[in-house]
Amino acid sequence: MDDSSNSSDSSISSNSILSPCSSTSASELMRKRGRSSSSDDSYTFGVKCGRFAEDHVSEWDICKLESFGIFYDEKATELSELYESALKDLYLVLGIKDHATLWSKLLEIKEFLVESTKSCMHSLDVDEEFSEIDSMSRFVVVKETEKCLQAIAKIKEEMATKGSALSMDYLSWHIYGIWHTGILEYIEYYSDLVKELRSHGRCGMVGEFSQLLMFFSKIFLLNAMRGNALPKMQMMLDGVATTSVPDLRYRLQGECHSGFKSNSSLLTVTVGEVKRWSLSHEVKTTADFNIRNLKFTGQSVESLLGQHGGEVLVEWKKSALQDTNLGIICVKNTIIFTCLKLDREHLSNLAHGHSVENERSVIRYSKPYNFLVRKDREEIMNTMFHLGLLCRLGSLHWLLD
């Protein structure tokens, strides 16, 4: 990847979001969007007559994304700050005030599950410099998973015999059961994947890492679904039907506050088709981490960021939030949380083919987290469990005593 793509000669706003395409001419941006200029009569005629095929965001690169006025921030945001505003909005959408007793109980259960997850997954930890699951030893993994299963059995026995607060009501056992199933499925898939890769001496494929993240997220009660399990999402952008099929969606369960959208989703996940990559501990922990500086082979950073940006834009139509869509970029066993907040006027201009030259919507993001590394995993546990409980809130009313 050409490092020169990570620089820019000018600032485009008071928020200073830098773009490798910021010096690109307006006509070039129009060409990337499928037309040569805003007054191209042949383009307008083609759209009206339906002669243009639909656009799919999997073909986007970062320049195309930016031609629609959507930019990645200059540097990472702390995870707690990244989702802070969105979580407050979700409380309103899901009617947390109406279910204060239930939510208080769920937060109590969350503390128990956080500590239980730490205990169970301790044996699965890898070194902080570790980057690729492909290189793990199958023999070590067998021993690690055995220890993990023993820890789970011990927690289950303690809940049943010691009369802990969580063993006294049906709601707690219901949530515990979801967690227990999730962690067992994750351990089984994780162990089988490592043994499969090592036995055949090959790299993991994008579908395998989608599955790994799906099983990992089930530990945190998240309701994961493959993107192709539902009809593809579609949004009119500049007169062109633009479609999206993300790798995974995390969806809400049950009926919540009357203001939330039916079949709403909470997170949109894009998994990179990466063959090899490395990310040093120093790079990923710096406060100045810039997502454009990722380096790997098999897929360009520009195409991955363009695709994910397109997906969180198009999938916004199904977001549980009114003007925000949350997302995750997954590169093998590393995840980056993202958040796109859209201005309604910006979205309207895109849909109607109006100029967006002065529009700026920003995709904020976290630093990368390797969920096989204990420190990284423990940093994201609270957020993951919080999102998982919100996903299930609407289906849990009847379980509260």
Short mmCIF file of all heavy atoms in Angstrom, two decimals, residues 142-187:
data_model
loop_
_atom_site.label_atom_id
_atom_site.label_comp_id
_atom_site.label_asym_id
_atom_site.label_seq_id
_atom_site.Cartn_x
_atom_site.Cartn_y
_atom_site.Cartn_z
N VAL A 142 -5.43 -27.58 22.51
CA VAL A 142 -6.18 -28.68 23.14
C VAL A 142 -6.09 -28.58 24.65
O VAL A 142 -7.10 -28.71 25.37
CB VAL A 142 -5.65 -30.04 22.65
CG1 VAL A 142 -6.27 -31.17 23.47
CG2 VAL A 142 -5.95 -30.24 21.18
N LYS A 143 -4.89 -28.34 25.17
CA LYS A 143 -4.72 -28.21 26.61
C LYS A 143 -5.42 -26.96 27.15
O LYS A 143 -6.02 -26.99 28.23
CB LYS A 143 -3.22 -28.16 26.95
CG LYS A 143 -2.48 -29.46 26.65
CD LYS A 143 -1.01 -29.35 27.03
CE LYS A 143 -0.27 -30.65 26.75
NZ LYS A 143 1.18 -30.56 27.10
N GLU A 144 -5.34 -25.88 26.39
CA GLU A 144 -5.98 -24.64 26.82
C GLU A 144 -7.49 -24.79 26.95
O GLU A 144 -8.11 -24.36 27.92
CB GLU A 144 -5.68 -23.52 25.81
CG GLU A 144 -4.24 -23.04 25.83
CD GLU A 144 -3.98 -22.03 24.73
OE1 GLU A 144 -4.78 -21.95 23.79
OE2 GLU A 144 -2.97 -21.33 24.82
N THR A 145 -8.10 -25.43 25.95
CA THR A 145 -9.55 -25.57 25.95
C THR A 145 -10.02 -26.50 27.06
O THR A 145 -11.10 -26.31 27.63
CB THR A 145 -10.05 -26.08 24.59
OG1 THR A 145 -9.35 -27.28 24.23
CG2 THR A 145 -9.82 -25.05 23.51
N GLU A 146 -9.22 -27.51 27.38
CA GLU A 146 -9.57 -28.41 28.48
C GLU A 146 -9.63 -27.63 29.80
O GLU A 146 -10.54 -27.82 30.61
CB GLU A 146 -8.55 -29.55 28.58
CG GLU A 146 -8.68 -30.58 27.46
CD GLU A 146 -7.61 -31.65 27.53
OE1 GLU A 146 -6.69 -31.50 28.37
OE2 GLU A 146 -7.69 -32.63 26.76
N LYS A 147 -8.65 -26.75 30.02
CA LYS A 147 -8.64 -25.93 31.23
C LYS A 147 -9.85 -25.00 31.26
O LYS A 147 -10.45 -24.78 32.32
CB LYS A 147 -7.35 -25.12 31.29
CG LYS A 147 -6.09 -25.93 31.51
CD LYS A 147 -4.87 -25.02 31.53
CE LYS A 147 -3.58 -25.83 31.71
NZ LYS A 147 -2.39 -24.94 31.68
N CYS A 148 -10.19 -24.47 30.12
CA CYS A 148 -11.32 -23.56 30.03
C CYS A 148 -12.63 -24.28 30.37
O CYS A 148 -13.47 -23.75 31.11
CB CYS A 148 -11.38 -22.97 28.62
SG CYS A 148 -12.51 -21.59 28.43
N LEU A 149 -12.80 -25.46 29.86
CA LEU A 149 -14.00 -26.25 30.13
C LEU A 149 -14.10 -26.61 31.61
O LEU A 149 -15.19 -26.64 32.19
CB LEU A 149 -14.01 -27.51 29.27
CG LEU A 149 -14.17 -27.29 27.76
CD1 LEU A 149 -13.97 -28.60 27.01
CD2 LEU A 149 -15.54 -26.70 27.45
N GLN A 150 -12.96 -26.89 32.23
CA GLN A 150 -12.95 -27.19 33.66
C GLN A 150 -13.40 -25.98 34.48
O GLN A 150 -14.14 -26.11 35.46
CB GLN A 150 -11.54 -27.63 34.09
CG GLN A 150 -11.13 -28.99 33.53
CD GLN A 150 -9.66 -29.30 33.76
OE1 GLN A 150 -8.93 -28.52 34.38
NE2 GLN A 150 -9.21 -30.44 33.27
N ALA A 151 -12.96 -24.81 34.07
CA ALA A 151 -13.34 -23.58 34.77
C ALA A 151 -14.84 -23.33 34.65
O ALA A 151 -15.49 -22.91 35.62
CB ALA A 151 -12.56 -22.39 34.21
N ILE A 152 -15.40 -23.60 33.47
CA ILE A 152 -16.85 -23.43 33.27
C ILE A 152 -17.63 -24.38 34.17
O ILE A 152 -18.62 -24.01 34.79
CB ILE A 152 -17.22 -23.67 31.80
CG1 ILE A 152 -16.60 -22.59 30.92
CG2 ILE A 152 -18.73 -23.67 31.60
CD1 ILE A 152 -16.76 -22.84 29.44
N ALA A 153 -17.18 -25.63 34.23
CA ALA A 153 -17.85 -26.63 35.06
C ALA A 153 -17.83 -26.21 36.53
O ALA A 153 -18.81 -26.40 37.26
CB ALA A 153 -17.18 -27.99 34.88
N LYS A 154 -16.73 -25.61 36.97
CA LYS A 154 -16.60 -25.19 38.36
C LYS A 154 -17.58 -24.06 38.67
O LYS A 154 -18.24 -24.06 39.73
CB LYS A 154 -15.17 -24.73 38.62
CG LYS A 154 -14.92 -24.32 40.07
CD LYS A 154 -13.47 -23.94 40.30
CE LYS A 154 -13.25 -23.52 41.75
NZ LYS A 154 -11.84 -23.11 42.00
N ILE A 155 -17.72 -23.11 37.74
CA ILE A 155 -18.65 -22.00 37.96
C ILE A 155 -20.09 -22.50 38.01
O ILE A 155 -20.89 -22.07 38.85
CB ILE A 155 -18.49 -20.95 36.84
CG1 ILE A 155 -17.15 -20.23 37.00
CG2 ILE A 155 -19.63 -19.94 36.85
CD1 ILE A 155 -16.81 -19.30 35.87
N LYS A 156 -20.41 -23.43 37.13
CA LYS A 156 -21.76 -23.99 37.12
C LYS A 156 -22.06 -24.70 38.44
O LYS A 156 -23.16 -24.58 39.00
CB LYS A 156 -21.92 -24.96 35.95
CG LYS A 156 -23.32 -25.50 35.79
CD LYS A 156 -23.44 -26.37 34.56
CE LYS A 156 -24.86 -26.88 34.37
NZ LYS A 156 -24.99 -27.74 33.17
N GLU A 157 -21.09 -25.44 38.95
CA GLU A 157 -21.26 -26.15 40.21
C GLU A 157 -21.45 -25.18 41.37
O GLU A 157 -22.30 -25.38 42.25
CB GLU A 157 -20.04 -27.04 40.47
CG GLU A 157 -20.12 -27.84 41.76
CD GLU A 157 -18.87 -28.67 41.99
OE1 GLU A 157 -18.02 -28.75 41.08
OE2 GLU A 157 -18.75 -29.23 43.09
N GLU A 158 -20.67 -24.10 41.36
CA GLU A 158 -20.77 -23.10 42.43
C GLU A 158 -22.15 -22.43 42.44
O GLU A 158 -22.73 -22.19 43.49
CB GLU A 158 -19.67 -22.05 42.27
CG GLU A 158 -18.28 -22.58 42.59
CD GLU A 158 -17.20 -21.55 42.31
OE1 GLU A 158 -17.51 -20.51 41.68
OE2 GLU A 158 -16.05 -21.79 42.71
N MET A 159 -22.65 -22.15 41.25
CA MET A 159 -23.97 -21.53 41.16
C MET A 159 -25.05 -22.45 41.72
O MET A 159 -26.01 -22.01 42.36
CB MET A 159 -24.30 -21.18 39.71
CG MET A 159 -23.65 -19.90 39.21
SD MET A 159 -24.39 -19.34 37.68
CE MET A 159 -26.02 -18.82 38.23
N ALA A 160 -24.90 -23.73 41.47
CA ALA A 160 -25.92 -24.69 41.86
C ALA A 160 -25.88 -25.05 43.34
O ALA A 160 -26.90 -25.38 43.95
CB ALA A 160 -25.78 -25.96 41.02
N THR A 161 -24.68 -24.98 43.94
CA THR A 161 -24.54 -25.52 45.29
C THR A 161 -24.32 -24.48 46.39
O THR A 161 -24.63 -24.74 47.56
CB THR A 161 -23.35 -26.51 45.34
OG1 THR A 161 -22.14 -25.82 44.99
CG2 THR A 161 -23.58 -27.66 44.38
N LYS A 162 -23.83 -23.30 46.03
CA LYS A 162 -23.46 -22.33 47.07
C LYS A 162 -24.52 -21.28 47.33
O LYS A 162 -24.32 -20.39 48.15
CB LYS A 162 -22.12 -21.68 46.73
CG LYS A 162 -20.95 -22.66 46.78
CD LYS A 162 -19.62 -21.96 46.59
CE LYS A 162 -18.47 -22.95 46.72
NZ LYS A 162 -17.16 -22.28 46.56
N GLY A 163 -25.63 -21.37 46.60
CA GLY A 163 -26.71 -20.44 46.87
C GLY A 163 -26.35 -18.99 46.63
O GLY A 163 -26.73 -18.11 47.40
N SER A 164 -25.58 -18.74 45.57
CA SER A 164 -25.23 -17.35 45.26
C SER A 164 -26.50 -16.59 44.90
O SER A 164 -27.54 -17.15 44.60
CB SER A 164 -24.25 -17.31 44.07
OG SER A 164 -24.92 -17.69 42.89
N ALA A 165 -26.39 -15.25 44.91
CA ALA A 165 -27.55 -14.41 44.60
C ALA A 165 -28.10 -14.73 43.22
O ALA A 165 -29.30 -14.66 42.98
CB ALA A 165 -27.16 -12.94 44.68
N LEU A 166 -27.21 -15.10 42.31
CA LEU A 166 -27.64 -15.35 40.94
C LEU A 166 -28.31 -16.70 40.76
O LEU A 166 -28.93 -16.96 39.74
CB LEU A 166 -26.45 -15.26 39.98
CG LEU A 166 -25.87 -13.85 39.78
CD1 LEU A 166 -24.71 -13.90 38.82
CD2 LEU A 166 -26.93 -12.89 39.27
N SER A 167 -28.18 -17.57 41.76
CA SER A 167 -28.78 -18.89 41.60
C SER A 167 -30.21 -18.94 42.12
O SER A 167 -30.84 -19.99 42.13
CB SER A 167 -27.93 -19.94 42.34
OG SER A 167 -27.99 -19.70 43.73
N MET A 168 -30.73 -17.79 42.56
CA MET A 168 -32.02 -17.79 43.25
C MET A 168 -33.21 -17.39 42.38
O MET A 168 -34.34 -17.49 42.82
CB MET A 168 -31.95 -16.83 44.45
CG MET A 168 -30.84 -17.15 45.44
SD MET A 168 -30.94 -18.84 46.09
CE MET A 168 -32.42 -18.69 47.10
N ASP A 169 -32.99 -16.93 41.15
CA ASP A 169 -34.13 -16.51 40.35
C ASP A 169 -33.98 -16.98 38.90
O ASP A 169 -32.88 -17.23 38.41
CB ASP A 169 -34.30 -14.98 40.39
CG ASP A 169 -33.10 -14.26 39.81
OD1 ASP A 169 -33.08 -14.04 38.58
OD2 ASP A 169 -32.18 -13.91 40.57
N TYR A 170 -35.12 -17.07 38.22
CA TYR A 170 -35.16 -17.64 36.88
C TYR A 170 -34.48 -16.74 35.85
O TYR A 170 -33.86 -17.22 34.91
CB TYR A 170 -36.61 -17.89 36.47
CG TYR A 170 -36.73 -18.71 35.20
CD1 TYR A 170 -36.39 -20.06 35.20
CD2 TYR A 170 -37.15 -18.12 34.02
CE1 TYR A 170 -36.48 -20.80 34.03
CE2 TYR A 170 -37.25 -18.86 32.85
CZ TYR A 170 -36.90 -20.20 32.86
OH TYR A 170 -36.99 -20.93 31.71
N LEU A 171 -34.60 -15.42 36.03
CA LEU A 171 -33.96 -14.50 35.09
C LEU A 171 -32.46 -14.72 35.04
O LEU A 171 -31.86 -14.80 33.97
CB LEU A 171 -34.26 -13.05 35.49
CG LEU A 171 -33.54 -11.96 34.69
CD1 LEU A 171 -33.99 -11.98 33.22
CD2 LEU A 171 -33.77 -10.59 35.30
N SER A 172 -31.84 -14.84 36.21
CA SER A 172 -30.40 -15.04 36.27
C SER A 172 -29.99 -16.35 35.60
O SER A 172 -29.01 -16.40 34.85
CB SER A 172 -29.93 -15.04 37.73
OG SER A 172 -30.20 -13.80 38.33
N TRP A 173 -30.75 -17.42 35.87
CA TRP A 173 -30.43 -18.70 35.25
C TRP A 173 -30.64 -18.66 33.74
O TRP A 173 -29.90 -19.30 32.98
CB TRP A 173 -31.27 -19.82 35.88
CG TRP A 173 -30.60 -20.43 37.07
CD1 TRP A 173 -30.94 -20.24 38.38
CD2 TRP A 173 -29.47 -21.28 37.06
NE1 TRP A 173 -30.08 -20.94 39.19
CE2 TRP A 173 -29.16 -21.60 38.41
CE3 TRP A 173 -28.66 -21.82 36.06
CZ2 TRP A 173 -28.10 -22.40 38.78
CZ3 TRP A 173 -27.60 -22.64 36.42
CH2 TRP A 173 -27.33 -22.93 37.76
N HIS A 174 -31.63 -17.92 33.30
CA HIS A 174 -31.86 -17.79 31.86
C HIS A 174 -30.68 -17.11 31.17
O HIS A 174 -30.17 -17.60 30.15
CB HIS A 174 -33.15 -16.99 31.61
CG HIS A 174 -33.44 -16.76 30.16
ND1 HIS A 174 -33.97 -17.73 29.34
CD2 HIS A 174 -33.28 -15.64 29.37
CE1 HIS A 174 -34.13 -17.24 28.11
NE2 HIS A 174 -33.71 -15.97 28.11
N ILE A 175 -30.23 -15.99 31.74
CA ILE A 175 -29.09 -15.26 31.16
C ILE A 175 -27.83 -16.11 31.26
O ILE A 175 -27.03 -16.19 30.32
CB ILE A 175 -28.88 -13.92 31.90
CG1 ILE A 175 -30.08 -13.01 31.70
CG2 ILE A 175 -27.61 -13.23 31.40
CD1 ILE A 175 -30.32 -12.58 30.27
N TYR A 176 -27.65 -16.75 32.42
CA TYR A 176 -26.49 -17.62 32.58
C TYR A 176 -26.49 -18.73 31.54
O TYR A 176 -25.44 -19.09 30.98
CB TYR A 176 -26.48 -18.23 33.99
CG TYR A 176 -25.44 -19.31 34.15
CD1 TYR A 176 -24.10 -18.98 34.38
CD2 TYR A 176 -25.79 -20.66 34.05
CE1 TYR A 176 -23.15 -19.97 34.52
CE2 TYR A 176 -24.83 -21.65 34.18
CZ TYR A 176 -23.51 -21.31 34.41
OH TYR A 176 -22.56 -22.29 34.53
N GLY A 177 -27.66 -19.30 31.24
CA GLY A 177 -27.75 -20.37 30.26
C GLY A 177 -27.31 -19.91 28.86
O GLY A 177 -26.64 -20.65 28.14
N ILE A 178 -27.70 -18.69 28.48
CA ILE A 178 -27.29 -18.14 27.18
C ILE A 178 -25.77 -17.98 27.15
O ILE A 178 -25.10 -18.34 26.17
CB ILE A 178 -27.98 -16.79 26.92
CG1 ILE A 178 -29.49 -16.96 26.85
CG2 ILE A 178 -27.46 -16.15 25.63
CD1 ILE A 178 -30.26 -15.65 26.81
N TRP A 179 -25.22 -17.43 28.25
CA TRP A 179 -23.77 -17.24 28.35
C TRP A 179 -23.05 -18.59 28.30
O TRP A 179 -22.07 -18.74 27.58
CB TRP A 179 -23.44 -16.52 29.66
CG TRP A 179 -21.98 -16.46 29.96
CD1 TRP A 179 -21.08 -15.55 29.48
CD2 TRP A 179 -21.24 -17.35 30.80
NE1 TRP A 179 -19.82 -15.82 29.97
CE2 TRP A 179 -19.89 -16.93 30.79
CE3 TRP A 179 -21.58 -18.47 31.55
CZ2 TRP A 179 -18.89 -17.57 31.51
CZ3 TRP A 179 -20.58 -19.12 32.28
CH2 TRP A 179 -19.25 -18.67 32.25
N HIS A 180 -23.55 -19.55 29.06
CA HIS A 180 -22.91 -20.88 29.14
C HIS A 180 -22.87 -21.55 27.77
O HIS A 180 -21.83 -22.06 27.35
CB HIS A 180 -23.70 -21.74 30.14
CG HIS A 180 -23.12 -23.09 30.37
ND1 HIS A 180 -23.55 -24.21 29.69
CD2 HIS A 180 -22.12 -23.51 31.20
CE1 HIS A 180 -22.86 -25.26 30.10
NE2 HIS A 180 -21.99 -24.87 31.01
N THR A 181 -23.98 -21.51 27.06
CA THR A 181 -24.02 -22.09 25.71
C THR A 181 -23.06 -21.34 24.78
O THR A 181 -22.34 -21.96 23.99
CB THR A 181 -25.45 -22.02 25.14
OG1 THR A 181 -26.32 -22.76 25.99
CG2 THR A 181 -25.50 -22.59 23.72
N GLY A 182 -23.07 -20.02 24.88
CA GLY A 182 -22.22 -19.22 24.01
C GLY A 182 -20.74 -19.49 24.20
O GLY A 182 -20.00 -19.65 23.23
N ILE A 183 -20.30 -19.59 25.44
CA ILE A 183 -18.88 -19.79 25.67
C ILE A 183 -18.45 -21.21 25.29
O ILE A 183 -17.35 -21.42 24.78
CB ILE A 183 -18.50 -19.46 27.14
CG1 ILE A 183 -17.00 -19.18 27.24
CG2 ILE A 183 -18.92 -20.55 28.10
CD1 ILE A 183 -16.59 -18.54 28.54
N LEU A 184 -19.33 -22.18 25.48
CA LEU A 184 -19.01 -23.54 25.06
C LEU A 184 -18.89 -23.63 23.53
O LEU A 184 -17.98 -24.27 23.00
CB LEU A 184 -20.08 -24.52 25.55
CG LEU A 184 -20.10 -24.84 27.04
CD1 LEU A 184 -21.25 -25.78 27.36
CD2 LEU A 184 -18.78 -25.46 27.49
N GLU A 185 -19.81 -22.98 22.82
CA GLU A 185 -19.75 -23.00 21.35
C GLU A 185 -18.51 -22.27 20.84
O GLU A 185 -17.89 -22.70 19.86
CB GLU A 185 -21.02 -22.37 20.78
CG GLU A 185 -22.27 -23.21 20.97
CD GLU A 185 -23.50 -22.56 20.37
OE1 GLU A 185 -23.43 -21.37 19.99
OE2 GLU A 185 -24.54 -23.24 20.26
N TYR A 186 -18.16 -21.18 21.50
CA TYR A 186 -16.97 -20.45 21.09
C TYR A 186 -15.71 -21.31 21.27
O TYR A 186 -14.87 -21.40 20.37
CB TYR A 186 -16.82 -19.16 21.90
CG TYR A 186 -15.47 -18.50 21.71
CD1 TYR A 186 -15.16 -17.84 20.52
CD2 TYR A 186 -14.49 -18.58 22.70
CE1 TYR A 186 -13.91 -17.25 20.34
CE2 TYR A 186 -13.25 -17.99 22.53
CZ TYR A 186 -12.96 -17.33 21.35
OH TYR A 186 -11.72 -16.77 21.17
N ILE A 187 -15.58 -21.93 22.43
CA ILE A 187 -14.40 -22.76 22.70
C ILE A 187 -14.29 -23.89 21.69
O ILE A 187 -13.21 -24.19 21.19
CB ILE A 187 -14.46 -23.32 24.14
CG1 ILE A 187 -14.33 -22.18 25.15
CG2 ILE A 187 -13.38 -24.36 24.37
CD1 ILE A 187 -14.68 -22.58 26.56
#
